[in-house]
Amino acid sequence: MSNCIFCKIINGEIPSVKIYEDDRILAFLDISQATKGHTLVIPKEHVDNIFEVKEEVIAYLFSKVPYLAKTIKDAFNAEGLNILNNNGKVAGQSVFHFHVHLIPRYGSEDGYQPVLINHMDDYTKEDLEKIAEQIKTKL
Ligand code: AMP
Ligand code: ZN
């Protein structure tokens, strides 16, 4: 896509610091470096997000994620690593070319703070069953 910043990176029109590339995917350092080694993995075929990505494209991309994650973790002796993928503006997506963040973790104050707020007191077992039913009828 001509005005997509990540397509421009793939095409070499704007610079990036690459760590892995093959004919289908590219992994390069996120310019923001939430933590040291923060990497983005993208398909070379432009697709906006998870709602549009083809199964074989994401399957290939994710087949390389464990290897890349382990390599990044080992390179910096990280203690762990978060995988993040934002889809849609409301979910924090700012670049609309599908990408997976690999964020190595060094400690609780390393610069990345994923927060899952616990709302379990707001849902009964019946509520959960109803929610599951709503989803399953669409499968
Ligand atoms: P998201 O908010 O999930 O869409 O993530 C987009 C990410 O792309 C952000 O973490 C940005 O720091 C990163 N980013 C934007 N432009 C560039 C660039 N030119 N090179 C590397 N990373 C970039
Ligand atoms: Zn693109």
Side-chain angles (χ1 to χ4, degrees), residues 29-36 38 40 101:
L29 294 181
D30 189 304
I31 205 163
S32 72
Q33 289 296 283
T35 64
K36 184 179 175 184
H38 177 188
L40 299 174
H101 295 257

Side-chain angles (χ1 to χ4, degrees), residues 6 9 28-32 40 86 92-95 99 101:
F6 287 176
I9 284 176
F28 59 102
L29 294 181
D30 189 304
I31 205 163
S32 72
L40 299 174
N86 300 323
Q93 187 174 10
S94 62
V95 176
H99 54 279
H101 295 257

Side-chain angles (χ1 to χ4, degrees), residues 11-74:
N11 296 333
E13 291 166 43
I14 62 170
S16 68
V17 181
K18 298 174 185 177
I19 65 162
Y20 173 86
E21 182 169 18
D22 64 26
D23 56 334
R24 286 186 272 177
I25 65 167
L26 172 66
F28 59 102
L29 294 181
D30 189 304
I31 205 163
S32 72
Q33 289 296 283
T35 64
K36 184 179 175 184
H38 177 188
T39 295
L40 299 174
V41 190
I42 63 175
K44 288 195 169 175
E45 181 178 319
H46 178 93
V47 60
D48 283 4
N49 54 36
I50 193 78
F51 308 117
E52 292 171 9
V53 71
K54 285 187 223 147
E55 194 172 323
E56 69 263 25
V57 170
I58 197 167
Y60 182 75
L61 186 149
F62 268 99
S63 76
K64 298 293 179 192
V65 163
Y67 169 64
L68 292 170
K70 191 174 178 329
T71 303
I72 293 164
K73 177 176 175 288
D74 290 352

